[in-house]
Amino acid sequence: MKQLNGLTVGTILLLEDEPFIALDLEEILSEAGFTQIRTIVSCAEAESWLQEGDPMLAIVDPRLQDGMCSGVVRTLVERKVPFIVYSGDVETVSEQEPAFAFGIWLSKPSPPGDIIQAIKTTLLGRL
């Protein structure tokens, strides 16, 4: 794990199926010094990766190629992995899966500074 501004940072799990949004987030994260990023585009792939992977933090688009990420988010909550819900559909998502309420909500699109601040807040909340 690496230190960044006094925070120990491991892998950030990025769940995003829109290629341009994923690339934008990867660039924002890299420029901020977060270099261990695992981008995944489907719930099934995320659930499989989580069997072995241990993210420090997750950024979650609630709806991926194969549907709502309810199982993934429940796993994150069970494992006490902090996460950011990056979505433009707050009300519908939280009604469909209560586990999303455990994440920090960030509306799409958000400025890079807001994204980095949400990550820092989320990581500090884990300590």
Side-chain angles (χ1 to χ4, degrees):
M1 296 211 189
K2 152 186 178 164
Q3 288 286 321
L4 180 68
N5 297 327
L7 298 173
T8 301
V9 180
T11 301
I12 293 179
L13 176 60
L14 175 57
L15 303 180
E16 178 58 67
D17 62 346
E18 294 292 331
F20 291 114
I21 295 172
L23 287 170
D24 188 43
L25 286 170
E26 288 170 355
E27 184 177 333
I28 290 166
L29 294 170
S30 293
E31 287 176 1
F34 299 99
T35 57
Q36 298 177 51
I37 305 162
R38 177 68 167 105
T39 303
I40 294 179
V41 299
S42 73
C43 303
E45 184 184 352
E47 288 171 3
S48 177
W49 185 85
L50 282 169
Q51 291 177 6
E52 305 273 331
D54 186 26
M56 177 75 159
L57 167 101
I59 300 174
V60 180
D61 178 343
R63 288 187 179 85
L64 297 180
Q65 290 178 347
D66 56 351
M68 181 77 86
C69 296
S70 300
V72 174
V73 171
R74 286 192 297 267
T75 298
L76 294 173
V77 170
E78 288 169 13
R79 290 174 52 183
K80 296 182 174 50
V81 175
F83 62 94
I84 295 166
V85 181
Y86 192 52
S87 174
D89 188 14
V90 175
E91 290 179 23
T92 305
V93 169
S94 43
E95 287 173 6
Q96 291 180 350
E97 176 53 59
F100 281 104
F102 289 94
I104 289 179
W105 286 83
L106 195 59
S107 294
K108 275 185 184 176
S110 287
D114 290 357
I115 294 167
I116 298 306
Q117 186 58 49
I119 291 168
K120 289 178 180 178
T121 300
T122 304
L123 290 176
L124 286 171
R126 183 178 188 182
L127 301 176

